[in-house]
Amino acid sequence: MADRKSYYVTTPIYYVNDSPHIGHAYTSLACDALARFMRLDGYDVHFLTGTDEHGQKVEKSAELAGKDPLAFTDEVSQRFRLLAEAMNFSNDDFIRTTERRHIESCQELWRRLKERGQIYLGSYSGWYAVRDEAFYQEDELETRPDGKKVSKASGAEVAWVEEPSYFFQLSEWQQPLLDHYARNPDFIGPDSRRNEVISFVKSGLKDLSVSRTTFKWGVPVPDDADHIMYVWLDALTNYITAVGFPDTEQEKYIKFWPADLHMVGKDILRFHAVYWPAFLMAAGLEPPRRVFAHGWWTNEGQKISKSLGNVIDPHDLIARYGRDQVRYFLLREVPFGNDGDFSHRGMVQRMNGDLANGIGNLAQRVLSMINKNCDAKVPVHGVLTEADLKLLGSAHGLLPAVRPLMTAQQFHKALETIWQVVTEADRYVDEQAPWALKKTDPARMGTVLYVLAETIRHVALLVQPFMPESGAKILDQLEVHGDDRSFAAFGPEHALESGTYLPKPEGVFPRFLEEPAA
């Protein structure tokens, strides 16, 4: 399937019991950069995000807000749509689990599992955390000084629950899951998370309670109105709903399923890498190709929490630093998959170092010299020297170098690789000194500026998935338009044409200046 030209990437669907924060923006941003990259690389992409709107936690949050659950979810879901607009995400669909298409999809998946003998009626008694919408075993809990039991992993309080319940025969899927992980070593990323999941599955899987009777805000179980579906069986199904399930014969499903990548936070990896493939295989459907779990952010070294009042609002970041600057920082600052710390100082260093002094300064210097010394036209180049060919070779080699890093979700390394060429181009400017060549060898000056303009073109093409508006502004100033902005335009065959008029250059990345203290 190496020549497959479709790509399906999903964010987790976000739980609507609160407003979106930096964690939501981070996950969706990674998916957006990947979706944009794949589109530019010639793939037909389906990029999905949305909101998870059922469950006891939502019912309680709506009650506390004095609202009907649907009215409450309408309002909070809209905040996630607004975040997608504010961050300039390019999602192709936004799914809500309260939609009719999704409810029908969930119920059909349930029927298929039931028909295959994978679901049975029993009764559940055990520990349940409403905050996590998750069941916990005794050894996964600890007792706080106040006597309350909480999850060791999340700190969420648990309560003892006893009720009739349908169960999914998860225990039967222990070995098939381990076989699947062995056959597909890239199924879970990064490797540290893969090892955690394998260890969890090897320790033994118990059948999973997949229905509830103590509240009503959820998808009704087919043929048993007393039960609603466990919120995770409901939520995970969104990924197939969005490509047309239960109609598995339609073009969209055939083209995009199985998904190429489910991007998730590390706290929900188990649901995606254990329960979800087990549900799918049990229903006779293919599991996704890959699940990648990223880390969490702290704020100036502190854990982010509402009680500390240090939750980071992405809208505030955009207003203060700029949209593309925030996008760049989040994907460049931390090895993707690790935890990271958001700091004002770190943000300013990236803005002024990598962006203003880096790509911004390079583009401004070179295009200003072309504007001033080459009649505002792409210069004519003469015979290329070894130094010219070396820099152009680095620029031409960027795409094959960055491609595998993107498919491995190593966004920080992809950006690092692009910036190595920016650094190389800066060094080349200093060594070739085109301002001096203007007097001594104007023809050579034209060649040097041409090589630099071509290098900037290649860098700008690859900057587009990460910083769409800034990449577009640089390409505008090089008069690169339309299909010439796709990755098919990489290489010398699509080089800038000498004699093309270029507009007066404008700075793309202003320096961040601290406001003076009052």
Side-chain angles (χ1 to χ4, degrees):
M1 297 296 281
D3 60 348
R4 184 172 171 270
K5 296 300 280 185
S6 60
Y7 194 85
Y8 182 23
V9 58
T10 70
T11 74
I13 49 171
Y14 300 118
Y15 211 52
V16 294
N17 66 318
D18 210 346
S19 291
H21 54 67
I22 192 173
H24 304 114
Y26 186 51
T27 318
S28 294
L29 171 58
C31 293
D32 182 63
L34 197 48
R36 288 176 181 275
F37 184 93
M38 290 299 183
R39 286 190 201 106
L40 289 166
D41 209 16
Y43 285 77
D44 188 1
V45 170
H46 194 65
F47 167 24
L48 175 71
T49 189
T51 44
D52 175 8
E53 304 183 14
H54 288 133
Q56 196 171 0
K57 188 160 54 169
V58 171
E59 191 175 73
K60 285 194 170 184
S61 297
E63 200 177 301
L64 285 170
K67 292 181 179 170
D68 166 79
L70 188 57
F72 175 79
T73 57
D74 283 347
E75 186 183 303
V76 184
S77 181
Q78 185 59 22
R79 291 179 206 157
F80 284 89
R81 284 185 193 270
L82 293 173
L83 173 68
E85 288 172 23
M87 289 290 294
N88 195 13
F89 296 150
S90 62
N91 50 292
D92 299 287
D93 193 359
F94 187 101
I95 191 166
R96 299 181 56 189
T97 56
T98 45
E99 291 176 50
R100 170 53 46 195
R101 62 171 170 162
H102 181 67
I103 291 165
E104 288 171 357
S105 173
C106 290
Q107 290 179 327
E108 178 57 25
L109 181 65
W110 181 282
R111 287 187 196 98
R112 292 190 186 197
L113 290 168
K114 193 119 189 295
E115 282 163 11
R116 288 167 168 258
Q118 296 296 318
I119 286 178
Y120 62 89
L121 184 60
S123 65
Y124 177 78
S125 56
W127 297 104
Y128 188 75
V130 172
R131 194 179 91 193
D132 297 343
E133 297 285 11
F135 301 101
Y136 287 107
Q137 303 298 322
E138 195 72 45
D139 62 359
E140 296 177 294
L141 304 174
E142 59 190 6
T143 305
R144 284 195 323 217
D146 62 7
K148 289 187 174 162
K149 282 187 181 286
V150 296
S151 157
K152 287 178 187 172
S154 70
E157 279 187 31
V158 296
W160 186 261
V161 175
E162 294 188 28
E163 60 181 321
S165 176
Y166 283 96
F167 286 82
F168 169 69
Q169 306 226 52
L170 184 63
S171 56
E172 286 187 8
W173 292 93
Q174 181 172 334
Q175 196 54 48
L177 282 167
L178 292 171
D179 294 344
H180 182 71
Y181 305 149
R183 280 194 310 273
N184 301 279
D186 293 331
F187 178 65
I188 302 165
D191 286 344
S192 58
R193 303 283 169 224
R194 172 184 157 81
N195 297 336
E196 282 173 22
V197 169
I198 290 172
S199 173
F200 171 74
V201 174
K202 278 185 174 172
S203 71
L205 296 178
K206 294 185 170 65
D207 288 355
L208 182 70
S209 169
V210 287
S211 77
R212 303 295 304 276
T213 57
T214 49
F215 62 98
K216 289 295 177 192
W217 184 241
V219 177
V221 165
D223 308 316
D224 193 339
D226 292 338
H227 290 253
I228 58 158
M229 285 189 208
Y230 172 44
V231 70
W232 273 104
L233 177 55
D234 161 5
L236 291 162
T237 306
N238 92 89
Y239 303 126
I240 51 176
T241 301
V243 288
F245 185 81
D247 183 359
T248 57
E249 300 301 312
Q250 68 161 285
E251 185 186 350
K252 197 175 185 183
Y253 187 91
I254 291 166
K255 184 166 201 174
F256 290 114
W257 193 260
D260 293 272
L261 177 70
H262 291 326
M263 186 77 79
V264 300
K266 62 183 182 180
D267 54 324
I268 55 172
L269 177 60
R270 184 184 299 181
F271 301 103
H272 285 80
V274 181
Y275 300 168
W276 181 225
F279 292 153
L280 289 165
M281 292 191 285
L285 302 170
E286 285 187 80
R289 288 191 166 84
R290 181 166 169 82
V291 179
F292 191 97
H294 64 72
W296 289 337
W297 284 88
T298 51
N299 185 356
E300 303 285 356
Q302 279 193 309
K303 185 178 177 182
I304 293 174
S305 76
K306 281 168 93 172
S307 58
L308 288 172
N310 66 346
V311 173
I312 301 174
D313 183 335
H315 298 278
D316 294 344
L317 296 185
I318 294 164
R320 186 173 190 189
Y321 303 113
R323 174 157 57 193
D324 274 1
Q325 287 85 341
V326 170
R327 287 175 62 111
Y328 177 82
F329 174 85
L330 291 177
L331 292 180
R332 177 65 184 85
E333 183 70 3
V334 178
F336 197 74
N338 294 5
D339 290 342
D341 182 52
F342 184 90
S343 73
H344 171 68
R345 186 178 167 203
M347 181 84 207
V348 172
Q349 282 176 343
R350 290 286 178 201
M351 288 173 72
N352 290 346
D354 298 8
L355 299 181
N357 295 346
I359 178 67
N361 185 49
L362 175 68
Q364 184 74 0
R365 280 171 84 191
V366 170
L367 294 172
S368 294
M369 281 190 274
I370 290 173
N371 186 269
K372 188 176 171 186
N373 303 322
C374 305
D375 297 325
K377 295 177 190 171
V378 174
V380 175
H381 70 82
V383 176
L384 298 173
T385 66
E386 190 180 331
D388 303 339
L389 292 168
K390 183 172 182 289
L391 181 58
L392 285 172
S394 296
H396 296 157
L398 268 178
L399 181 57
V402 167
R403 240 188 220 123
L405 298 173
M406 292 299 284
T407 53
Q409 290 76 61
Q410 293 186 307
F411 304 108
H412 61 294
K413 284 192 177 174
L415 285 164
E416 198 176 287
T417 302
I418 297 164
W419 255 253
Q420 282 168 0
V421 174
V422 173
T423 303
E424 201 178 324
D426 274 331
R427 199 160 48 238
Y428 172 90
V429 175
D430 293 339
E431 287 167 0
Q432 299 300 322
W435 51 89
L437 290 169
K438 184 189 172 188
K439 296 174 187 169
T440 60
D441 191 346
R444 176 64 191 153
M445 175 198 72
T447 300
V448 167
L449 292 176
Y450 181 87
V451 167
L452 285 163
E454 257 301 273
T455 302
I456 292 165
R457 178 177 78 87
H458 282 80
V459 168
L461 287 174
L462 271 179
V463 157
Q464 292 177 100
F466 305 96
M467 296 182 285
E469 292 160 293
S470 306
K473 281 178 187 171
I474 297 171
L475 292 169
D476 285 345
Q477 295 183 45
L478 290 168
E479 284 297 334
V480 174
H481 300 288
D483 291 344
D484 287 337
R485 293 192 176 194
S486 81
F487 294 162
F490 250 77
E493 302 82 17
H494 297 268
L496 296 167
E497 282 190 36
S498 298
T500 303
Y501 277 101
L502 300 183
K504 188 168 192 244
E506 293 176 4
V508 176
F509 293 110
R511 286 183 61 77
F512 183 90
L513 301 172
E514 296 284 0
E515 292 173 12

